[in-house]
Structures are given as structure tokens and as C-alpha cells.
Amino acid sequence: MSGKRKRKLKLLSDTITDNRRAVDEVKSENLELQSWADLPAELLELILSRLILADNIRASSVCKRWHSVASDVRVVNQSPWLMYFPKFGDCYEFYDPVQRKTYTLELPELNGSRVCYTKDGWLLLYRPRTHRVFFFNPFTRELIKLPRFEMTYQIVAFSCAPTTPGCVLFTVKHVSPLVVAISTCYPGATEWTTVNHPNRLPFVSSIWNKLVFCNGLFYCLSLTGWLGVFDPVECIWSVLAVPPPKCPENFFAKNWWKGKFMTEHEGDILVIYTCCSGNPIIFKLDQTLMKWEEMTTLDGVTLFASFLSSHSRTDLIGIMRNNVYFSKVRFYGKRCISFSLDDYRYYPRKQCHDWGEQDPFENIWIEPPKDFSACM
């Protein structure tokens, strides 16, 4: 090989080397120029959603981009926890769907009882053997006894925390297609008051009915989808002339009556119908036109559905908004079954659940304390 050719090859080699070195230097400079503000949006949202409120506010001052993401995922309201009732023993588990963590409390006070309802962090419980009814706060361990009352195939609810003035308990029992027996009580009473009320429309009451207190009234969704209303002040009962929500035929398959849930949000009555072979359908009662309307969005609200009581929340972390969270946890306690109205799918995928397979007294959503560590 001639010397001239060798010099050309060396020059070419040096040029390639210089070019590679220049590219590496540019990459290095770009990496040095990158900051925490350049994190991918999904990763940034995940990180900021895990922060407590005070740290979220501090993080929002980093830059405009962080401020926007931090505001979107900021938790102003607190998510309810899923409380599990063991078949044996006094060890009760509480699942936090935000942190995806499980906490445990020993609660011997609940031995021999079954849960009936929950609201404002309080449980309403019943001991079948003794007919004892009582309130219990699992976080403060405060217990409030009520007069004995025999409950058979019926459900019961209360209007507000038993420590709040005006707390009323309500239960309805089927007597005949055109008659129901309504029983009420309040903390400090010596006995329950029971009165039979006629129905204008057939109303079948059972353990699968749903109860919610809204705008000073108790609403009861019957087994067949009719809605009864009770005014505890005027002691008036009526069945609304509103036909049941319309669902596809596949919703009336096996155990169809067990896959219904009802809650309220800012004065609106919401009903969730589920099916083991399809996506859930959410209805809202139009109280002006007196008919059920199907909802395609929750406008950022999050619903928490369980057999005995369901809840609604606003201002939760971004990934939880416009979702329905069900009382079933998968993957060894790592993921709660939810349905996103934005994506119109279950998370995890293919989680259509046959609610007839689940014990209605197995768990219930409950409002947790601000500081759980004080309860340990």
C-alpha cells in the first residue's frame, strides 16, 4: 500500500473518531442539561401522586410543569378503606387503595357480630345470638349500645355519625307485596319504633336491597329495582313511580340481583348495575323528570361500591378519578378491582366479577382516620 493511500485512510479514521467524540460530547451535554423537570409525564404523575398534601404543595413550586401535574393529582379528600371481617379471630384488615397497603387491628369488641352499615367512620353491627345492635368506631374504639332488635332478612342504615345530633337508624322489612314494616331508632332510645306502611306499588324488601341517606330522606332500592323513600321527620313512606333502570338482557343472568350498588353524591342518587359478562352501567335519578338516566362520565368523582354501603369522593389522585372501585382486591392484596369510565374498561383487565360468589358480610368501605398511626 502506497504512503499516500495510508495517509488518506488515517485521515478518514481520525475524522470518524472526531465525529464520534463530538456526538458523545453533545449527548453528555444534553444529559447534563436535563433536570428533574424533564421527567416523563407518566413517571412524574406517579411520583407526585404518592406524596402527602404538604409535600405535594412543596413539589408544585419547582416549575410550571410540576405545578400543573401536582395540582392534577393532589389529594384533598381521603379515600375510604376496605375493612375485612374475618371468619375466625379478632384480627381485622384495612386496605388502603391509594397506597395499596394493608393495615391490621385487633378488635375483640366485634366478636360474634356482623356488619350492617358504615358512615362517617362508624360501623353499625348486629349480634344475631343476642339481637344486640351497636355502633362501634374501630379507630377510636368507642362503642355505643342501642336497644335490642331482631333482624331477619332486612337491611339497616343510619343518617350520620351517632355522636351527631339527629342521628336516625332506619330499616324496612317486607310484610306483603303491598305492605312494609318500617322500624326506626336513635342513640339514647330505649326501644325501636315499628310501623306498617302501605305501598302504592309492589315493593319487595330483602337483604339484597340497597339503602342510602340523602337530603334528609332514606332511599331504598328494592330487589326488582323500585325505589322507596322514607321521611324520618314526617314518618312518611312512599314508592316512587319511577320504572327500574333499563339494562341489557345479559344483566339478568345468574345472581343478577346481587350485583347492584347504590350511593349518593351531592344530592344525586346513583345506582351501579354490574354483570359477570360485561361492563357495569351507572344510572342517576333525574328527580325532575323522575326517570333513571345512564351516565357516561362521573365528572371526576370516584365511587366505592360494596354490598352494604357505598360511598362517593371527589379530589382524589388523578388516576382514581372517574372510576368505580369495587370491594374486591386481586394480586395478593396489591390491586383493587376498578372500572374506568375514561377508558371504559376494568383494571386489571377482564375482571368482570360474579358478585353472587362473594359473602355480603365479608367487607365494607369505611372512612379512615387522618392519622392511622395513633390507632396502632
Side-chain angles (χ1 to χ4, degrees):
M1 184 181 293
S2 65
K4 187 176 182 179
R5 183 176 178 81
K6 287 182 178 179
R7 285 194 297 273
K8 286 183 177 180
L9 289 174
K10 185 176 186 305
L11 180 60
L12 179 61
S13 176
D14 291 344
T15 302
I16 293 173
T17 301
D18 290 342
N19 288 339
R20 286 177 177 172
R21 186 179 295 112
V23 171
D24 290 341
E25 288 176 355
V26 170
K27 289 182 177 179
S28 178
E29 289 177 1
N30 288 339
L31 288 174
E32 290 176 0
L33 291 173
Q34 286 184 340
S35 67
W36 285 98
D38 299 313
L39 281 173
E42 295 81 4
L43 182 58
L44 182 60
E45 180 175 327
L46 179 62
I47 293 172
L48 296 182
S49 69
R50 300 291 178 177
L51 301 180
I52 62 174
L53 181 59
D55 291 339
N56 178 287
I57 294 173
R58 293 189 189 99
S60 68
S61 64
V62 171
C63 62
K64 288 183 178 180
R65 182 166 174 266
W66 276 41
H67 181 274
S68 176
V69 176
S71 299
D72 287 342
V73 302
R74 184 169 295 159
V75 180
V76 178
N77 210 340
Q78 193 170 17
S79 163
W81 289 2
L82 193 59
M83 180 180 180
Y84 283 88
F85 288 76
K87 293 184 178 179
F88 306 100
D90 300 323
C91 186
Y92 293 77
E93 292 185 339
F94 297 82
Y95 174 76
D96 178 357
V98 176
Q99 300 295 333
R100 297 183 184 178
K101 291 182 179 180
T102 300
Y103 306 92
T104 304
L105 285 179
E106 292 282 341
L107 300 172
E109 299 94 331
L110 305 188
N111 187 270
S113 65
R114 76 181 187 207
V115 64
C116 299
Y117 200 76
T118 180
K119 191 180 181 74
D120 298 336
W122 284 83
L123 297 166
L124 180 64
L125 300 118
Y126 175 65
R127 286 198 172 98
R129 289 187 178 180
T130 62
H131 302 162
R132 171 63 69 189
V133 185
F134 63 101
F135 285 109
F136 184 74
N137 188 315
F139 308 113
T140 64
R141 313 296 277 266
E142 188 175 358
L143 188 150
I144 300 175
K145 293 183 178 180
L146 295 162
R148 296 178 191 271
F149 185 75
E150 183 177 1
M151 295 188 195
T152 51
Y153 299 103
Q154 62 201 92
I155 54 174
V156 60
F158 57 97
S159 59
C160 56
T163 52
T164 303
C167 175
V168 179
L169 292 91
F170 164 83
T171 183
V172 56
K173 181 180 179 181
H174 176 81
V175 176
S176 72
L178 296 176
V179 178
V180 294
I182 291 178
S183 301
T184 57
C185 192
Y186 57 89
T190 57
E191 63 181 5
W192 289 69
T193 300
T194 301
V195 178
N196 285 356
H197 292 263
N199 296 321
R200 288 191 303 110
L201 298 167
F203 187 90
V204 180
S205 180
S206 78
I207 192 67
W208 301 108
N209 287 5
K210 306 299 174 185
L211 281 176
V212 69
F213 184 77
C214 178
N215 294 330
L217 305 172
F218 286 99
Y219 289 83
C220 182
L221 186 70
S222 77
L223 188 70
T224 52
W226 292 90
L227 194 64
V229 183
F230 180 72
D231 185 333
V233 176
E234 302 295 334
C235 296
I236 297 174
W237 164 263
S238 63
V239 179
L240 300 183
V242 180
K246 293 182 179 180
C247 294
E249 286 297 325
N250 60 318
F251 274 68
F252 299 97
K254 174 186 174 185
N255 296 320
W256 64 269
W257 62 88
K258 299 181 181 180
K260 299 198 304 285
F261 308 90
M262 183 170 69
T263 187
E264 64 87 23
H265 178 70
E266 295 184 350
D268 287 324
I269 304 298
L270 308 178
V271 174
I272 307 164
Y273 275 71
T274 64
C275 170
C276 62
S277 61
N279 291 328
I281 303 177
I282 303 174
F283 296 94
K284 179 176 75 172
L285 178 64
D286 186 324
Q287 300 185 48
T288 301
L289 300 178
M290 296 305 287
K291 68 176 185 178
W292 293 101
E293 293 184 341
E294 184 175 345
M295 302 179 70
T296 57
T297 179
L298 293 171
D299 294 322
V301 175
T302 307
L303 303 182
F304 296 86
S306 59
F307 279 108
L308 299 171
S309 65
S310 299
H311 307 265
S312 66
R313 290 290 186 276
T314 55
D315 299 325
L316 297 182
I317 60 176
I319 57 175
M320 294 185 72
R321 296 173 188 174
N322 217 33
N323 277 259
V324 181
Y325 279 76
F326 294 97
S327 56
K328 191 71 177 179
V329 179
R330 297 292 198 193
F331 302 128
Y332 304 100
K334 296 299 182 182
R335 189 69 181 267
C336 195
I337 292 180
S338 64
F339 181 81
S340 168
L341 277 79
D342 289 330
D343 303 330
Y344 201 66
R345 54 157 283 194
Y346 275 100
Y347 286 89
R349 287 189 181 274
K350 299 179 180 179
Q351 290 298 323
C352 299
H353 187 62
D354 182 0
W355 295 103
E357 298 176 354
Q358 186 167 329
D359 181 356
F361 304 106
E362 176 184 327
N363 55 34
I364 195 168
W365 291 105
I366 185 171
E367 183 178 326
K370 297 296 182 183
D371 182 12
F372 184 75
S373 62
C375 307
M376 304 298 286

